[in-house]
Amino acid sequence: MKKSTWLWFSLMRLAAFALPLAIMLLLGMIPWLAATLSAIIGLCVSYIFFAKTRNALSESLYEKRAAKNVNHDKDADAEDAEVEAGLAKESKGKA
């Protein structure tokens, strides 16, 4: 996973929250209401406009996770194949 992707996405999300919060606080809004509305605005902005970065981040997380699971247990794979073959035979007999 690229650290720059993670850092960039985090900074964009933080800015999407902090900018509306600062504007609302400068306008004299109640702090808890300003924080709540800023969180909602930040979530919406992130969901709509940061999809490309979010997808790149999730792909890199998936690739990193998949790379950890490269060492499959061959015995477990053989057992799974036998179970699946047995289930296939059972379903043919019922049909």
Side-chain angles (χ1 to χ4, degrees), residues 4-48:
S4 62
T5 305
W6 178 260
L7 180 65
W8 181 244
F9 184 69
S10 298
L11 290 175
M12 289 190 321
R13 293 278 314 259
L14 183 63
F17 171 76
L19 188 62
L21 179 64
I23 292 170
M24 287 186 232
L25 289 175
L26 287 174
L27 292 175
M29 190 175 279
I30 302 168
W32 66 267
L33 183 60
T36 303
L37 291 175
S38 294
I40 293 169
I41 291 169
L43 178 73
C44 293
V45 167
S46 173
Y47 185 75
I48 295 169

Side-chain angles (χ1 to χ4, degrees), residues 73-85:
D73 185 11
K74 292 180 182 181
D75 188 41
D77 289 341
E79 289 173 1
D80 290 344
E82 284 183 38
V83 169
E84 289 175 7

Side-chain angles (χ1 to χ4, degrees), residues 62-71:
Y62 175 78
E63 289 169 1
K64 184 177 181 180
R65 183 73 154 177
K68 280 186 174 180
N69 295 332
V70 170
N71 300 331

